[in-house]
Amino acid sequence: MTMLRSILIGLVAGQRAMTPLAALAGAARRGTLPHDNAPARLMATPLVAAGGVALAAAEMAGDKMKTAPDRTVVLGLLARTITSGFAGAALAPPRRQAAGAALAVGAAVAASFAGLAARRWAMDRWGQTATGFVEDALVLGAAERIVTA
């Protein structure tokens, strides 16, 4: 149960690679992360926090473009692996950061493929932009809840 946040943030990263960074940044700046560790302290740094938020915003904007690559391309999976591992470690209990990172990465990779299938199904019915905004809202809301719960 104590590793649930790490797994859940991995599911978020599977949909939007940079959203975990933005959520961590906000929680770290507010001092509401569940553990005080190196990743949490790094995300509390103003420049790093701003970078995480900017990357998340850029990714969300880019997702609505017709030229946006699938989340399962190699670079997309690499980004999800890095950010989910970092976020999973930040949310893991003390001395369990490696396990938290591994669980988050596994969840992110699996969620990337499942999320792509679901998004393709939704895009066939409602289009890329509308489904992207709905996905953004769900992912951002979930990320905020995960990092501060």
Side-chain angles (χ1 to χ4, degrees), residues 56-147:
E59 180 184 26
M60 287 184 179
D63 176 68
K64 314 306 174 291
M65 303 173 98
K66 296 287 183 201
T67 57
D70 288 343
R71 62 192 79 193
T72 58
V73 300
V74 172
L75 287 178
L77 289 174
L78 179 61
R80 283 160 173 72
T81 298
I82 294 167
T83 62
S84 65
F86 180 83
L91 295 173
R95 295 177 305 282
R96 308 262 337 258
Q97 291 177 321
L103 289 168
V105 168
V109 171
S112 296
F113 288 93
L116 178 59
R119 179 76 184 276
R120 283 182 175 161
W121 177 85
M123 284 190 328
D124 287 345
R125 284 146 187 82
W126 299 291
Q128 182 173 1
T129 302
T131 58
F133 281 120
V134 169
E135 188 177 25
D136 289 345
L138 292 171
V139 168
L140 190 55
E144 283 296 317
R145 180 77 174 126
I146 291 162
V147 301

Side-chain angles (χ1 to χ4, degrees), residues 2-13 16-37 39-40 43-44 53 56 83-93 104 138-149:
T2 60
M3 302 300 279
L4 183 59
R5 285 182 177 163
S6 295
I7 294 167
L8 293 174
I9 204 69
L11 295 176
V12 165
R16 294 287 185 274
M18 301 303 158
T19 298
L21 298 180
L24 284 174
R29 300 283 297 150
R30 291 187 301 272
T32 58
L33 282 176
H35 305 290
D36 182 25
N37 55 37
M43 290 311 296
V53 171
T83 62
S84 65
F86 180 83
L91 295 173
L138 292 171
V139 168
L140 190 55
E144 283 296 317
R145 180 77 174 126
I146 291 162
V147 301
T148 58

